[in-house]
Amino acid sequence: MTRLPLQRTRLDGVQRRLGTQLLGGFRGSWRRRSLSVLALLLGFYAGENLTALWLEQVGMRPVVVLLMVLGLELLVRLRTRFVGERPALAWLIADNLRLGVVYAVVLEAFKLGS
């Protein structure tokens, strides 16, 4: 027995768009996928180490957090200005680095209990 194709409904469209957004970073060649995962892991590593290093050198937590938020916000603003529908590999790497840094900082905040 063969399956009938799904009808094009609004729910089907929402499901397709959601699947594309969630799994869009894992499509493409192995080079694109591996570089995106490496960028995510390197962003996490950098976020863990840079926050600890900057807190040690600067000593004032609000200044360090403000600088990180400003840097990440600048990256987001540049991306929305220059990137169209499908981002280039460099922007995908920058996005994953940013996500890794944000995840590391949030995880560190939960570990500290603040």
Side-chain angles (χ1 to χ4, degrees):
M1 179 181 250
T2 60
R3 289 184 135 177
L4 295 175
L6 291 175
Q7 292 181 350
R8 295 286 180 175
T9 61
R10 286 184 290 191
L11 178 62
D12 181 51
V14 168
Q15 287 176 342
R16 286 180 192 272
R17 281 193 303 272
L18 185 64
T20 302
Q21 287 177 354
L22 288 177
L23 300 175
F26 295 109
R27 289 192 177 160
S29 66
W30 67 270
R31 178 176 167 249
R32 185 177 180 91
R33 288 190 309 249
S34 63
L35 285 176
S36 68
V37 170
L38 278 174
L40 190 65
L41 293 173
L42 285 174
F44 179 75
Y45 180 75
E48 284 281 324
N49 292 318
L50 285 178
T51 55
L53 178 69
W54 285 350
L55 282 174
E56 220 25 68
Q57 288 181 350
V58 176
M60 295 186 302
R61 185 172 293 176
V63 173
V64 172
V65 171
L66 179 66
L67 288 174
M68 288 189 74
V69 167
L70 286 176
L72 293 172
E73 188 65 27
L74 179 68
L75 247 176
V76 170
R77 298 291 175 157
L78 286 173
R79 186 191 190 285
T80 56
R81 180 170 295 219
F82 293 119
V83 175
E85 184 69 25
R86 182 174 163 116
L89 183 60
W91 283 109
L92 181 69
I93 290 172
D95 283 343
N96 285 345
L97 281 170
R98 180 177 51 89
L99 285 173
V101 168
V102 168
Y103 180 72
V105 169
V106 169
L107 187 66
E108 189 68 27
F110 278 119
K111 285 194 292 188
L112 293 175
S114 57

